[in-house]
């Protein structure tokens, strides 16, 4: 765990030290061993998507060896909305002139992408003056890891992601005006083992390519809504878990498209359907000892630090909601009795709560159930870790645990009800600015407001259906 702490500190607070020259041989071996002809050089944008450039593999390796490769990318990639609309103001905007951001390839983590033919991926770190760019999602997360390390704890993270499979490709849906989408399963197949053949084949292929990429899944299951699937990943180092989740989404979308399907990670792809991104977080000290669980002799489950972590999550997450619910659509998932949280409550193995304490003994962990499937896992996890750190630093105590239906619990506050409400709170929250730094808050709030602006003047099908003949 000491190595994990050091990695977080070096990424967040020190100049970038990774080089492109020393480990070129690793990429060269991949190119030779797997017949790679294409290298994707990519970083992760604010929405949690891979963005970058495509290179001829042999030419990419040759330029690396000669030192002739100094990759850059238009900085607007870090500051656009879902549809890549350029911002009007801010560091990545018309106002700024859209300058380039330097990319530092991390060749030590080059990997083959088995879901694309003869293709390897090299992730790159956005840089600013030789330091990790402070507004890049990976840097925001690394800062939180470094600050927790200063307090003597390291998180391990497991991610559960839900999404919905639809018949037809995304192009088919676009041609049809995004109407008539049909789930690949027509009814609820929660935990079922008799899914239709196309869904079974999709699941098998997805598991195969992820395993071949060194990212074996823990389990795949049908979820409650028609066509809904849940994929669970094993515990791992926090930044790696988030990067692997980004690659998983890329793989799921590609495998689905190859099968004539669409994998949608919208938080609420249709009325009464919600897909979540559940973050399972445990904490250990530098010797690998779990710190969330109390000593069995104490007769309680959560340690003092564990209680502080829960209290911090409940206090901070509603103030930084655009980090885990970034779109107008995100808030339509957070509905009453939807299996998505509607109130800021916590409980023991209670799926009606925003924070669920689960596991036993050394495996005791916190499941943060607020983020939707549309969240950037790096930013959602950074928000959760900031909350945990705040709880530790302030010595907070949580309210009583909820043992019944948290949706009906009158003492628990409601989660934010809309993106507009959430951004307003985010921008004015002293805690958000102190925990995350004002430039990060301003940047993420600006991106969120672009989604609000996109929807503000658009007439929806629901408005027409409700008002055309009645108004």
């Amino acid at each position: 765990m000491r190595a994990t702490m050091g990695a977080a500190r070096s990424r967040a607070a020190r100049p970038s030290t990774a080089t492109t020259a020393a480990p070129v041989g690793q990429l060269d071996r991949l190119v030779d061993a797997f017949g790679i002809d294409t290298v994707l050089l990519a970083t992760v944008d604010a929405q949690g998507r891979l963005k970058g450039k495509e290179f001829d593999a042999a030419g990419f390796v040759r330029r690396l060896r000669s030192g002739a490769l100094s990759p850059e990318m238009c900085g607007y990639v870090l500051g656009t909305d879902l549809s890549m609309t350029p911002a009007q103001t801010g560091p990545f905007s018309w106002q700024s002139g859209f300058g380039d951001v330097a990319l530092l390839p991390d060749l030590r983590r080059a990997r083959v992408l088995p879901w694309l033919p003869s293709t390897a991926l090299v992730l790159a770190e956005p840089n600013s003056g030789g330091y990790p760019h402070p507004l890049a999602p990976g840097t925001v997360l690394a800062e939180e890891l470094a600050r927790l390390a200063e307090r003597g704890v390291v998180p391990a993270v497991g991610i559960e992601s839900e999404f919905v499979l639809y018949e037809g490709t995304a192009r088919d849906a676009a041609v049809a005006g995004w109407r008539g989408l049909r789930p690949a399963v027509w009814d609820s197949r929660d935990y079922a083992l008799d899914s239709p053949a196309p869904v079974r084949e999709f699941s098998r292929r997805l598991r195969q390519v992820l395993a071949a990429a060194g990212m074996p899944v823990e389990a795949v299951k049908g979820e409650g809504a028609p066509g809904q699937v849940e994929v669970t990943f094993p515990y791992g180092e926090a930044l790696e878990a988030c990067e692997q989740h980004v690659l998983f989404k890329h793989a799921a979308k590609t495998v689905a498209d190859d099968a004539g399907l669409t994998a949608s990670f919208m938080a609420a792809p249709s009325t009464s359907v919600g897909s979540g991104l559940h973050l399972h977080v445990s904490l250990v000290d530098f010797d690998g000892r779990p710190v969330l669980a109390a000593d069995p002799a104490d007769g309680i489950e959560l340690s003092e630090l564990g209680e502080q972590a829960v209290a911090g999550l409940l206090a901070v997450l509603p103030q930084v909601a655009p980090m885990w619910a970034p779109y107008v659509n995100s808030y339509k998932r957070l509905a009453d009795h939807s299996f998505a949280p509607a109130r800021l409550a916590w409980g023991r193995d209670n799926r009606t709560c925003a924070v669920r304490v689960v596991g036993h003994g050394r495996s005791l962990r916190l499941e943060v159930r607020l983020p939707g499937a549309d969240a950037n896992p790096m930013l959602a996890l950074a928000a959760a870790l900031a909350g945990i750190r705040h709880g530790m630093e302030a010595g907070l105590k949580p309210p009583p645990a909820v043992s019944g239906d948290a949706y009906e619990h009158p003492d628990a506050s409601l989660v934010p009800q809309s993106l507009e409400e959430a951004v307003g709170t985010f921008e004015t929250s002293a805690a958000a600015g102190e925990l995350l730094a004002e430039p990060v808050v301003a940047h993420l709030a600006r991106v969120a407001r672009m989604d609000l602006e996109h929807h503000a003047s658009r007439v929806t099908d629901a408005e027409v259906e409700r008002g055309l003949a009645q108004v």
Side-chain angles (χ1 to χ4, degrees):
M1 287 297 178
R2 294 182 188 276
T4 301
M5 177 197 70
R9 290 176 62 87
S10 65
R11 281 188 66 123
R14 301 175 185 172
S16 297
T17 56
T19 64
T20 59
V24 171
Q26 178 171 326
L27 178 60
D28 206 1
R29 286 191 294 273
L30 289 179
V31 170
D32 288 341
F34 294 94
I36 299 299
D37 59 34
T38 302
V39 171
L40 306 182
L41 181 65
T43 193
V44 179
D45 70 0
Q47 288 73 32
R49 302 171 295 188
L50 290 176
K51 294 291 181 179
K53 299 179 181 179
E54 187 177 296
F55 292 84
D56 173 76
F60 187 82
V61 171
R62 185 167 57 250
R63 292 173 66 190
L64 283 174
R65 288 193 181 282
S66 68
L69 184 69
S70 300
E72 295 179 329
M73 178 185 295
C74 179
Y76 102 118
V77 166
L78 297 178
T80 65
D81 65 2
L82 266 176
S83 56
M84 302 299 290
T85 304
Q88 292 293 326
T89 60
F92 314 114
S93 67
W94 294 106
Q95 183 186 59
S96 73
F98 295 119
D100 282 339
V101 170
L103 297 178
L104 185 68
D106 188 351
L107 298 178
R108 295 165 297 187
R109 293 182 297 148
R111 68 170 75 221
V112 176
L113 299 186
W115 54 91
L116 294 176
S118 304
T119 300
L121 172 75
V122 174
L123 286 172
E125 180 182 83
N127 257 243
S128 176
Y131 288 78
H133 199 291
L135 302 182
T139 309
V140 176
L141 176 55
E143 287 283 355
E144 284 308 317
L145 294 172
R147 290 167 182 160
L148 274 179
E150 290 171 357
R151 301 197 61 84
V153 295
V154 178
V157 177
I159 296 178
E160 293 177 355
S161 180
E162 298 166 345
F163 59 96
V164 177
L165 276 177
Y166 290 99
E167 295 179 351
T169 66
R171 179 177 178 82
D172 296 333
V175 170
W178 307 105
R179 294 179 175 87
L181 288 170
R182 294 198 305 176
V185 179
W186 53 89
D187 57 3
S188 174
R189 297 293 174 96
D190 200 5
Y191 287 98
L193 299 175
D194 59 350
S195 296
V199 177
R200 294 199 307 271
E201 290 306 311
F202 166 84
S203 176
R204 177 181 289 108
R205 175 63 178 159
L206 181 61
R207 286 185 285 106
Q208 288 173 341
V209 298
L210 291 174
M215 301 187 300
V217 303
E218 188 172 273
V220 178
K221 65 175 283 289
E223 261 293 338
Q228 194 172 40
V229 179
E230 179 187 81
V231 178
T232 306
F233 287 88
Y235 266 86
E237 189 271 333
L239 185 60
E240 182 179 357
C242 291
E243 289 180 346
Q244 289 190 359
H245 184 75
V246 171
L247 298 186
F248 150 69
K249 287 181 67 174
H250 190 272
K253 288 175 177 288
T254 303
V255 172
D257 189 72
D258 289 344
L261 302 169
T262 297
S264 174
F265 288 82
M266 287 182 68
S270 59
T271 302
S272 301
V273 174
S275 293
L277 177 76
H278 300 158
L279 304 174
H280 288 256
V281 181
S282 60
L283 298 175
V284 299
D285 62 21
F286 294 155
D287 294 317
R289 293 178 302 225
V291 297
L292 290 176
D295 188 315
D298 294 341
I300 56 176
E301 277 202 304
L302 280 178
S303 65
E304 181 180 23
L305 189 150
E307 291 186 340
Q308 292 169 351
V310 169
L313 287 167
L314 295 179
V316 169
L317 286 178
Q319 299 184 62
V320 297
M323 297 180 71
W324 50 264
Y327 311 116
V328 168
N329 178 262
S330 305
Y331 297 82
K332 297 178 181 181
R333 164 181 166 265
L334 304 171
D336 185 58
H337 290 92
S338 63
F339 280 101
R343 291 187 179 271
L344 296 161
W346 74 283
R348 180 68 170 94
D349 196 13
N350 189 336
R351 285 184 169 86
T352 70
C353 293
V355 178
R356 174 183 174 228
V357 179
V358 66
H360 304 277
R362 291 174 60 87
S363 72
L364 199 70
R365 61 194 185 275
L366 306 179
E367 181 187 16
V368 183
R369 296 176 59 82
L370 283 166
D374 55 355
N376 181 332
M378 294 177 176
L379 297 177
L381 181 59
L385 297 182
I388 290 171
R389 177 167 60 86
H390 175 67
M392 295 168 61
E393 292 172 347
L396 301 182
K397 295 285 288 184
V402 174
S403 59
D405 184 352
Y407 295 103
E408 302 292 343
H409 201 281
D411 295 332
S413 301
L414 292 170
V415 301
Q417 299 297 290
S418 68
L419 181 59
E420 185 170 13
E421 174 192 334
V423 175
T425 299
F426 189 44
E427 290 174 320
T428 57
S429 167
E434 182 179 347
L435 289 167
L436 300 164
E438 293 291 351
V440 172
V441 173
H443 167 61
L444 295 177
R446 187 179 300 111
V447 173
R449 286 204 174 277
M450 292 173 70
D451 199 64
L452 282 171
E453 293 164 4
H454 173 86
H455 288 281
S457 61
R458 283 169 168 76
V459 177
T460 67
D461 288 349
E463 290 172 300
V464 174
E465 178 185 346
R466 183 174 176 83
L468 186 68
Q470 297 295 335
V471 175

